[in-house]
Amino acid sequence: MNQRQTSEGGAPAVAERIGCGLAAILFVLAVLLPSASFAQDLDPEMEEALANMDADTTVYEKTPVPASSVDKVNLDVHWRLWKRVFSSGKLGIEELEALMNDAVSIGYRNLPDYATAVYSMTASKVASGELEVRDASKLYEMARKLAPDIPYPELAYSAHLARNNLGRMPAIVGSYHRGVRKGFIWLDSRMAWELKIIAFALLAAMVALLSFLLAQLLRYFGIVAYDCARFLPKGFSSNQTVILIVALVVVPGLLMRSPLVSMLILLAILSLVQRINERIVTVLLFGALIALPAIDARMSEQLTWPESASQSLMHAQYLHCDAPCAADVEDKWLEASDDPVLTYTLALTHYRQGSEKQLENVIELLEDQESWPAPMQGAVENLWGATLIAQAKPDEGIEHLEKAKKLDLTSPAAPFNLMRAYQMKNDGSAASAALDEAISVNLDSVRTHLELERRDVNSFLLVEPLAAELFVQRHRERASEQVSLVSPVWAALAGPKLPLDRAPLLGIIGVLIALASLPLYLSGRASSPCPKCGLARDPEDAPKTGNHRYCLPCYHTFVSGASLAYEARVHNERVLGRRERFQDVMRRVLSVVVPGTGHSQAGHGLGGFVITLLTAFGVFVLLRPMGIWRPPYELFSENWAAQQSIAWLLVSIGAFFALTAALRGVSPTETTNRTSNKRGIDE
């Protein structure tokens, strides 16, 4: 049999704890998160609306859909009225609905300022006991309607329920899940969150690298020196071998004035004798070097997003574009009329104004564009079809809407507008079928739009902004500046002679060394640390020890002691026992200083690295919870998306493993060899 049997001491216990934790999390998510079918259930109000529509005998005139008659000042009037009503002790739901209806009518898609004020004032009244939790939920629902694409009303509602009604756990988890999902769609929050996650992950990876490298140095340096002395010519002594390895590590770093080069060379040398789980960590670290320039470019995109042209276009589509905004968009379009995102933004701005002249401008813009990227074609066809319906041309509009429906299966806009076109043609059965199709795509969006009573272009028809990824792609392609966060740190560590674009080369070399040396471990030709004393366990001693997990001195001393003289056995027990106690104390101390380091030193490299990485990440989040830059609507709290709670959880996990290691110790990994052909595998 070609086999090396390995027992991992404390590793099963660690893996069991981690596995149980993950299983519990998955169980909670599976049980508590609302399913897609649950989210699409029709409530009684929606059922009644659909029934009324089926029974509707209204004859819709084939006349143009007019522009909005609402003025922007109406929003301020409704808002002042709601504040007065709310201050008197009433909820003011009708006033907020009137505010929302007027906002939609003049082309506002999201009202984050009003939504933030609503849930902030609601939370203040709940905290003071002036408002019941049940009534507060209605106001949080209105805040979500005022800003349907913004994550913060959802997250605020989840936090409200968590503070006041833990019995509604499915609603808490569901609202939190929706908020996080919206947060990674809404680009202002997504860019800030991703930048924070990547920056803290890189810092945590640096801490974990230093911890892992220290642990591996303490565990394997003597083993590497012993094996090198075995394979080098007989003229080399042990001291000369150590000096040669130290020179191989230090000299290149001194010549290149790069401490990073010395650390990477040391890691590559130690990988020659690493176990499988430790070798995985080494490959991951070198792999991070390969990806480092790409990560730096991604961080540059996130840093330059605020105040960028692409952000202003996204705000024009997702928030509102007033007269100065429209003029700015048109000026930019005159300079770059070949930009499809810019062209669509200008067309959508004209459409929302809704006048006959503006609708004609929309058709001209869409016709003049030579080509549209494939991801945009569904939105373009829907806008084209909606514009034709607004011009009382339902037959022409239906052609474009049918194309839009096939091109974009995730948007309810095209089937909803088809319903309006069929209503204009007095085809009730086709209109009802189109509505059913729209509901099957997105119930909430259709419900909100059906509740609007005005007959203007923004209330009667449904035109959505472009997908967020298109703005990201445009920003990536047209960014006017590059800002590097990694370069200053890299220059300090790698030195002046090693630019950042050489990082992938270093990573590839390291990965090749770690993989090329794997046969040494698998074939059993590399020594391994003795679990008793930490000295090298020579594979050639396996026949003498009966394939025992101890090294030869520990085997003679603790297993077959009768073969030694009494004085020699007593001396060996004292010396080797002192080494064993030192190894145990060192692992405990390392675990307390940096959680996970003791596990890495004991041979549980992957588990130790993960513990260190997660703990360091949690500490960085607690030290700077708002990240590098923050979206404007996160200014009111440092715990959006429960990030500090998650950070405390990560730190608590690290502290748990650290205290467990300090009190109970960390059992080192153990290895036994088959002497038939010395091949090996991990258990």
Side-chain angles (χ1 to χ4, degrees):
M1 293 291 291
N2 299 339
Q3 185 179 12
R4 172 186 290 172
Q5 295 177 339
T6 307
S7 60
E8 292 275 341
V14 174
E16 182 180 359
R17 295 190 192 103
I18 296 176
C20 291
L22 292 175
I25 294 173
L26 291 175
F27 174 80
V28 170
L29 293 178
V31 172
L32 298 180
L33 277 179
S35 65
S37 60
F38 173 81
Q40 291 290 87
D41 283 345
L42 300 181
D43 55 31
E45 294 181 1
M46 193 64 187
E47 292 281 9
E48 182 180 357
L50 291 175
N52 292 338
M53 182 177 175
D54 291 336
D56 187 11
T57 59
T58 304
V59 177
Y60 292 88
E61 297 181 359
K62 191 177 179 180
T63 57
V65 181
S68 174
S69 60
V70 178
D71 192 272
K72 185 178 179 181
V73 71
N74 289 25
L75 305 185
D76 187 57
V77 172
H78 288 306
W79 178 247
R80 292 176 182 272
L81 180 59
W82 177 79
K83 289 197 297 183
R84 186 181 307 164
V85 171
F86 188 64
S87 300
S88 67
K90 300 179 181 178
L91 298 182
I93 299 297
E94 294 180 357
E95 287 73 16
L96 290 178
E97 288 177 345
L99 169 65
M100 183 187 70
N101 293 342
D102 282 0
V104 172
S105 179
I106 58 177
Y108 281 75
R109 180 177 173 87
N110 291 278
L111 298 167
D113 300 332
Y114 294 108
T116 302
V118 168
Y119 65 69
S120 298
M121 295 170 67
T122 301
S124 178
K125 276 204 170 186
V126 172
S128 63
E130 301 177 43
L131 189 63
E132 295 291 334
V133 174
R134 184 185 301 274
D135 292 334
S137 296
K138 299 178 182 178
L139 290 171
Y140 276 103
E141 177 63 27
M142 284 306 307
R144 291 152 64 188
K145 288 184 178 181
L146 289 171
D149 297 312
I150 312 296
Y152 306 110
E154 289 284 3
L155 296 173
Y157 181 55
S158 178
H160 160 74
L161 292 178
R163 287 192 300 265
N164 301 287
N165 193 355
L166 280 175
R168 297 189 60 191
M169 186 58 66
I172 295 172
V173 177
S175 184
Y176 177 79
H177 178 262
R178 289 191 298 272
V180 172
R181 185 178 59 195
K182 289 182 179 180
F184 280 97
I185 296 175
W186 180 249
L187 292 182
D188 286 356
S189 57
R190 169 180 163 183
M191 292 293 187
W193 292 0
E194 284 186 354
L195 180 61
K196 175 166 57 178
I197 291 172
I198 293 174
F200 289 167
L202 288 177
L203 291 174
M206 290 178 59
V207 174
L209 167 63
L210 295 175
S211 167
F212 180 75
L213 188 59
L214 173 62
Q216 296 294 284
L217 178 64
L218 295 173
R219 177 175 172 81
Y220 283 121
F221 187 80
I223 311 301
V224 172
Y226 179 83
D227 276 356
C228 288
R230 288 171 52 209
F231 292 111
L232 287 173
K234 292 185 178 180
F236 282 87
S237 65
S238 299
N239 292 336
Q240 290 174 328
T241 304
V242 171
I243 294 173
L244 178 63
I245 296 175
V246 172
L248 185 62
V249 171
V250 174
V251 171
L254 293 176
L255 292 176
M256 301 186 68
R257 290 183 289 172
S258 173
L260 180 64
V261 169
S262 294
M263 287 193 292
L264 295 178
I265 292 175
L266 177 60
L267 183 60
I269 291 175
L270 296 175
S271 71
L272 298 176
V273 294
Q274 283 179 333
R275 297 162 56 83
I276 297 295
N277 71 87
E278 296 161 329
R279 204 174 294 260
I280 290 174
V281 176
T282 300
V283 170
L284 288 176
L285 291 171
F286 282 118
L289 280 180
I290 298 174
L292 195 58
I295 295 173
D296 188 40
R298 183 65 176 267
M299 296 174 70
S300 176
E301 296 171 10
Q302 295 152 354
L303 276 170
T304 56
W305 173 257
E307 305 299 328
S308 66
S310 297
Q311 186 196 42
S312 65
L313 294 181
M314 187 204 74
H315 286 177
Q317 293 192 29
Y318 277 87
L319 299 179
H320 178 65
C321 193
D322 53 16
C325 167
D328 181 61
V329 171
E330 189 160 5
D331 290 341
K332 292 178 180 177
W333 180 80
L334 292 174
E335 298 174 359
S337 58
D338 60 335
D339 183 351
V341 175
L342 188 55
T343 302
Y344 184 89
T345 304
L346 181 59
L348 182 61
T349 302
H350 287 316
Y351 171 84
R352 285 173 174 171
Q353 294 175 5
S355 66
E356 183 178 349
K357 177 61 176 176
Q358 299 293 350
L359 294 179
E360 292 176 359
N361 291 339
V362 173
I363 299 298
E364 291 178 5
L365 286 169
L366 299 180
E367 288 178 342
D368 292 343
Q369 184 70 26
E370 293 183 0
S371 62
W372 297 95
M376 290 182 59
Q377 291 177 4
V380 170
E381 294 292 345
N382 179 68
L383 175 59
W384 205 325
T387 304
L388 290 170
I389 294 172
Q391 293 178 325
K393 301 175 182 177
D395 293 315
E396 297 178 38
I398 288 173
E399 296 179 8
H400 290 279
L401 293 173
E402 288 291 348
K403 295 179 183 178
K405 187 174 66 172
K406 296 176 181 178
L407 290 168
D408 189 354
L409 302 177
T410 62
S411 172
F416 184 90
N417 293 332
L418 279 171
M419 175 199 70
R420 294 304 193 192
Y422 288 125
Q423 284 179 338
M424 193 173 285
K425 295 181 63 177
N426 291 314
D427 189 343
S429 60
S432 180
L435 178 59
D436 290 340
E437 187 174 358
I439 290 173
S440 67
V441 177
N442 190 323
L443 170 62
D444 291 334
S445 179
V446 173
R447 184 213 314 266
T448 301
H449 226 70
L450 281 177
E451 292 172 354
L452 304 174
E453 298 179 354
R454 290 190 176 89
R455 191 178 185 271
D456 55 56
V457 292
N458 297 308
S459 303
F460 188 71
L461 300 166
L462 179 57
V463 175
E464 296 186 327
L466 294 175
E469 288 301 324
L470 292 168
F471 298 99
V472 176
Q473 182 179 351
R474 183 190 185 278
H475 179 61
R476 184 178 298 123
E477 295 172 351
R478 298 174 181 265
S480 59
E481 60 176 335
Q482 297 290 327
V483 179
S484 176
L485 279 180
V486 176
S487 293
V489 180
W490 176 267
L493 293 176
K497 297 183 179 181
L498 195 63
L500 180 60
D501 55 9
R502 296 290 180 86
L505 178 60
L506 294 177
I508 292 173
I509 294 174
V511 170
L512 290 177
I513 292 174
L515 296 179
S517 60
L518 184 59
L520 288 176
Y521 172 77
L522 295 178
S523 63
R525 293 197 297 269
S527 299
S528 59
C530 173
K532 189 73 173 176
C533 65
L535 295 175
R537 179 180 172 278
D538 195 329
E540 295 181 359
D541 291 335
K544 303 176 185 178
T545 63
N547 195 34
H548 201 273
R549 62 185 182 276
Y550 287 174
C551 64
L552 187 60
C554 287
Y555 178 79
H556 284 163
T557 302
F558 299 104
V559 179
S560 62
S563 61
L564 293 176
Y566 176 76
E567 294 81 2
R569 187 176 66 183
V570 171
H571 174 75
N572 283 3
E573 287 179 351
R574 182 170 62 252
V575 174
L576 296 175
R578 187 184 301 123
R579 285 193 58 86
E580 181 185 14
R581 291 189 295 273
F582 173 77
Q583 294 281 324
D584 180 64
V585 171
M586 179 176 62
R587 287 191 289 269
R588 293 171 186 257
V589 172
L590 289 175
S591 296
V592 172
V593 174
V594 180
T597 310
H599 294 79
S600 297
Q601 200 280 331
H604 313 293
L606 184 57
F609 179 81
V610 171
I611 293 171
T612 305
L613 183 71
L614 295 181
T615 305
F617 185 86
V619 170
F620 287 127
V621 172
L622 291 176
L623 291 176
R624 194 175 179 86
M626 302 308 294
I628 298 173
W629 68 270
R630 64 185 77 173
Y633 302 104
E634 288 188 17
L635 296 176
F636 300 98
S637 173
E638 293 186 345
N639 197 29
W640 282 115
Q643 54 187 1
Q644 287 182 308
S645 304
I646 296 173
W648 276 116
L649 176 62
L650 297 179
V651 173
S652 300
I653 292 173
F656 168 77
F657 281 106
L659 292 175
T660 302
L663 296 175
R664 300 173 55 185
V666 183
S667 301
T669 56
E670 302 174 352
T671 305
T672 59
N673 292 81
R674 295 290 187 185
T675 59
S676 57
N677 53 15
K678 300 180 183 177
R679 284 188 62 83
I681 57 174
D682 277 346
E683 267 188 348

